[in-house]
């Protein structure tokens, strides 16, 4: 079977869905959620075909000429490999879940679901593009609907948070664009003068890039991607964006949009700039350790459940940075695994935090207490998500963290800096501490008398199904991690030591 239509289809299907929901105003608004759900479900079905397509992922490659004149070549190239396939699958799964989870949305639902579908268009494009200019366009497409999602449907400080999110990430992407142009023009000098933005053309020329060029361009690209992860000290936009964003926005932001940064570092920086990566290795390790410790300490001080989970994302993405910084096959492999694991777990975390705000009326930890007796199903899902995030064996988070610690241990031994492992272990200890502390104050003890509980209700059927699907995936990949590792190993791991 010719599968080359599938990759462009997983971009076109949500695009068509976004256009349809956009024009479903007036009385038709109530059907927007159904249309959005159907189109995200179709996209998930197409993604499942890729996941079940066997070891030969090249059968899904798609190429078409876009611009090919006057020494300039840009193409519509789409591909999928072991680095991107889990991100594509994760995007498709989370889109279906957030559309279903948001079925109660009554404020201009046609615009709300249009924005969710538009985000899916950009995300699928980022993770499947095989041309740098196309990659950049898709990267920018993700920013615009997320900006409006926060600004229109967020909390009291939504406008400030949306502008901060857009400025940080857009400025970073412009710096990234400079790095992309530098790669393309330098490759053109080696490849015969044609400025070809395809991944293949630049990868072919990259071994001939000199060390100074690689180091400088790595810095430009790394900055653009590190802001997106986000890495400390470029992280300050994230807690604000998460706190003010609607639950669906937070799920997509933490679940898949943050992974664009780490994906870009591996796909663009490490693949093409091996000498630059080696020169920046110490900085990557340092920034990763700093993010791990800072994010974990910041969690302890938070009063808002959602902001606590936002800082935990900074800490967990610090783990990914450390793992990538090892520049080893094991390090890259488990960095990708942790990206996937954190995407599933953070989606659950932000959903239970969002439900606290909607169902209880507050996310303030000091105002809560004894919710396990009042909302037992909710409490079960919250405990499960917290346990998964702190790395409980048998759940997917354990394998991501274990693999990263193992890869970092090897790097520390090889470089005679075994003492650095203490920071990694301290981060894991702090993670267990702030989750257990938050859980104890929120779910157990005496039932709170600080808020009105007459309106409080437990998880409804659709919310339970959405959380249950995520919990099932967390358990499935936690018990059988080889399901994910087999897909990751289809990646060739270029540029590693």
């Amino acid at each position: 079977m010719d599968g080359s239509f599938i990759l462009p289809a997983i971009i076109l299907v949500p695009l068509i869905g976004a256009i349809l929901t956009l024009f479903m105003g007036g009385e038709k608004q109530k059907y927007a959620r159904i249309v959005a759900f159907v189109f995200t479900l179709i996209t998930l079905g197409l993604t499942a075909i890729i996941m079940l397509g066997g070891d030969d992922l090249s059968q899904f490659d798609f190429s078409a000429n876009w611009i090919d004149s006057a020494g300039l070549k840009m193409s519509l190239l789409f591909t999928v490999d072991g680095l991107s396939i889990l991100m594509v699958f994760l995007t498709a799964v989370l889109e279906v879940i957030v559309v279903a989870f948001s079925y109660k949305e009554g404020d201009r639902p046609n615009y709300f679901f249009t924005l969710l579908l538009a985000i899916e268009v950009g995300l699928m494009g980022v993770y499947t593009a095989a041309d740098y200019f196309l990659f950049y366009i898709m990267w920018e497409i993700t920013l615009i609907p997320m900006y409006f999602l926060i600004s229109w449907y967020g909390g009291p400080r939504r406008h400030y948070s949306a502008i901060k999110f857009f400025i940080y990430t857009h400025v970073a992407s412009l710096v990234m664009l400079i790095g992309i142009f530098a790669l393309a023009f330098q490759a053109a000098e080696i490849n015969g003068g044609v400025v070809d933005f395809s991944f293949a053309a630049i990868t072919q020329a990259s071994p001939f890039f000199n060390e100074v060029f690689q180091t400088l361009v790595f810095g430009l690209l790394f900055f653009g991607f590190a802001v997106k992860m986000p890495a400390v000290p470029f992280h300050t936009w994230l807690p604000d964006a998460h706190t003010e964003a609607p639950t669906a926005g937070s799920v997509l932001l933490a679940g898949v949009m943050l992974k664009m940064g780490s994906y870009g570092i591996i796909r663009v920086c490490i693949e093409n700039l091996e000498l630059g990566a080696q020169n920046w290795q110490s900085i990557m390790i340092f920034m990763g350790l700093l993010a791990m410790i800072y994010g974990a300490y910041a969690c302890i001080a938070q009063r808002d459940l959602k902001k606590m989970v936002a800082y935990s994302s900074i800490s967990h993405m610090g783990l990914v940075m450390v793992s990538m910084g090892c520049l080893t096959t094991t390090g890259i492999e488990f960095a990708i695994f942790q990206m996937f694991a954190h995407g599933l777990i953070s989606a659950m975390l932000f959903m239970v935090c969002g439900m606290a705000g909607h169902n209880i009326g507050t996310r303030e930890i000091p105002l809560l207490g004894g919710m396990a007796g009042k909302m037992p199903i909710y409490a079960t899902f919250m405990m499960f998500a917290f346990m998964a995030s702190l790395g409980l064996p048998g759940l997917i988070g354990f394998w991501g963290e274990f693999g990263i610690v193992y890869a970092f241990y090897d790097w520390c031994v090889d470089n005679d800096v075994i003492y650095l492992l203490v920071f990694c272990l301290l981060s894991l200890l702090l993670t267990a501490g702030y989750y257990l502390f938050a859980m104890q104050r929120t779910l157990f003890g005496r039932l709170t008398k600080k808020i009105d509980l007459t309106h409080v209700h437990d998880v409804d059927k659709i919310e339970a199904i959405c959380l249950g699907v995520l919990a099932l995936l967390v358990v499935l990949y936690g018990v059988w991690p080889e399901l994910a590792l087999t897909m990751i190993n289809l990646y060739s791991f270029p540029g590693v030591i």
Side-chain angles (χ1 to χ4, degrees):
M1 184 186 78
D2 180 15
S4 62
F5 74 94
I6 292 180
L7 292 182
I10 64 174
I11 297 171
L12 288 174
V13 168
L15 177 60
I16 295 170
I19 294 171
L20 289 176
T21 54
L22 178 63
F23 292 102
M24 295 181 70
E27 291 296 321
K28 298 177 182 177
Q29 289 189 56
K30 58 186 177 181
Y31 300 113
R33 60 180 60 85
I34 299 174
V35 172
F37 183 75
V38 169
F39 277 86
T40 54
L41 206 58
I42 293 171
T43 306
L44 178 59
L46 292 171
T47 305
I49 295 174
I50 301 174
M51 292 288 289
L52 300 173
D55 294 343
D56 183 19
L57 296 178
S58 63
Q59 63 182 301
F60 302 108
D61 290 356
F62 176 87
S63 63
N65 285 333
W66 187 13
I67 298 173
D68 191 1
S69 63
L72 179 64
K73 185 175 182 180
M74 300 174 184
S75 306
L76 295 175
L77 299 174
F78 298 99
T79 190
V80 68
D81 62 7
L83 172 56
S84 59
I85 188 169
L86 289 179
M87 294 298 101
V88 170
F89 175 64
L90 181 63
T91 300
V93 169
L94 293 188
E95 281 284 348
V96 172
I97 286 174
V98 296
V99 168
F101 191 81
S102 306
Y103 77 99
K104 294 179 182 178
E105 182 59 53
D107 180 16
R108 298 161 293 173
N110 58 324
Y111 293 154
F112 183 85
F113 291 106
T114 294
L115 293 174
L116 293 183
L117 288 164
I119 291 171
E120 183 171 24
V121 172
L123 288 168
M124 288 299 193
V126 166
Y127 292 126
T128 60
D131 178 276
Y132 280 107
F133 200 77
L134 180 62
F135 173 83
Y136 175 76
I137 289 174
M138 292 298 181
W139 184 284
E140 291 291 275
I141 285 175
T142 64
L143 305 184
I144 299 169
M146 181 57 74
Y147 166 81
F148 285 110
L149 193 64
I150 298 172
S151 183
W152 290 353
Y153 298 92
R157 299 176 70 246
R158 59 187 181 275
H159 300 305
Y160 165 78
S161 298
I163 291 171
K164 188 174 182 180
F165 157 77
F166 189 83
I167 290 175
Y168 266 73
T169 53
H170 182 59
V171 169
S173 65
L174 291 177
V175 175
M176 177 187 74
L177 181 62
I178 296 172
I180 288 174
F181 274 116
L183 284 177
F185 284 107
Q186 186 71 13
E189 294 184 8
I190 297 168
N191 292 336
V194 176
V195 182
D196 187 348
F197 282 87
S198 69
F199 283 12
I202 292 177
T203 300
Q204 180 182 350
S206 62
F208 303 99
F209 296 160
N210 65 60
E211 185 173 355
V212 174
F213 173 84
Q214 289 198 35
T215 303
L216 292 175
V217 174
F218 188 100
L220 292 172
L221 295 166
F222 179 74
F223 172 77
F225 296 133
V227 171
K228 192 68 177 181
M229 283 186 67
V232 177
F234 312 120
H235 67 286
T236 57
W237 64 268
L238 183 68
D240 289 324
H242 270 314
T243 303
E244 301 303 323
T247 300
S250 293
V251 169
L252 294 178
L253 186 59
V256 275
M257 289 188 73
L258 300 189
K259 313 310 182 291
M260 289 164 56
S262 49
Y263 173 82
I265 290 174
I266 299 172
R267 174 70 77 200
V268 183
C269 300
I270 296 176
E271 277 194 18
N272 297 302
L273 303 167
E274 182 177 349
L275 296 177
Q278 292 175 18
N279 290 336
W280 277 82
Q281 183 180 37
S282 298
I283 296 175
M284 292 176 67
I285 295 288
F286 172 76
M287 291 181 68
L289 292 175
L290 178 63
M292 288 163 53
I293 301 300
Y294 169 80
Y297 267 116
C299 286
I300 298 173
Q302 301 310 311
R303 295 168 56 90
D304 187 305
L305 272 173
K306 209 172 183 185
K307 187 166 280 192
M308 183 195 76
V309 175
Y311 276 104
S312 78
S313 292
I314 295 171
S315 181
H316 282 91
M317 292 308 290
L319 274 167
V320 175
M321 180 73 82
V322 167
S323 195
M324 293 187 299
C326 294
L327 298 181
T328 60
T329 298
T330 305
I332 300 296
E333 180 179 17
F334 281 100
I336 300 169
F337 189 95
Q338 175 66 3
M339 288 160 58
F340 179 61
H342 180 260
L344 293 173
I345 295 169
S346 63
M348 287 195 72
L349 289 169
F350 279 108
M351 286 166 69
V352 295
C353 291
M355 289 166 62
H358 291 296
N359 297 358
I360 303 173
T362 182
R363 299 192 307 256
E364 292 290 318
I365 297 173
L367 298 181
L368 300 171
M371 287 295 111
K374 191 75 173 178
M375 304 169 65
I377 300 175
Y378 172 82
T380 301
F381 280 120
M382 176 180 275
M383 288 178 62
F384 181 89
F386 281 6
M387 293 298 106
S389 190
L390 64 81
L392 186 72
L395 304 178
I396 191 173
F398 169 78
W399 294 108
E401 294 179 3
F402 176 82
I404 288 172
V405 172
Y406 172 73
F408 188 54
Y409 170 79
D410 274 354
W411 182 85
C412 289
V413 170
D414 291 342
N415 292 272
D416 197 25
V417 286
I418 192 67
Y419 57 88
L420 290 179
L421 197 63
V422 172
F423 294 99
C424 197
L425 299 176
L426 175 61
S427 170
L428 301 180
L429 180 63
L430 290 171
T431 299
Y434 65 72
Y435 274 131
L436 293 174
F437 188 40
M439 189 167 62
Q440 187 274 329
R441 289 187 293 168
T442 304
L443 300 180
F444 303 112
R446 290 186 177 182
L447 188 64
T448 181
K449 297 181 179 179
K450 299 177 182 178
I451 56 176
D452 180 16
L453 297 177
T454 57
H455 65 286
V456 171
H457 61 88
D458 208 343
V459 179
D460 64 29
K461 289 182 179 180
I462 293 180
E463 291 170 341
I465 291 171
C466 293
L467 288 166
V469 169
L470 288 174
L472 180 63
L473 291 172
V474 167
V475 172
L476 176 64
Y477 285 99
V479 174
W480 197 1
E482 190 64 20
L483 278 175
L485 294 173
T486 299
M487 306 304 296
I488 295 170
N489 286 327
L490 298 176
Y491 183 55
S492 59
F493 299 101
V496 298
I497 300 172

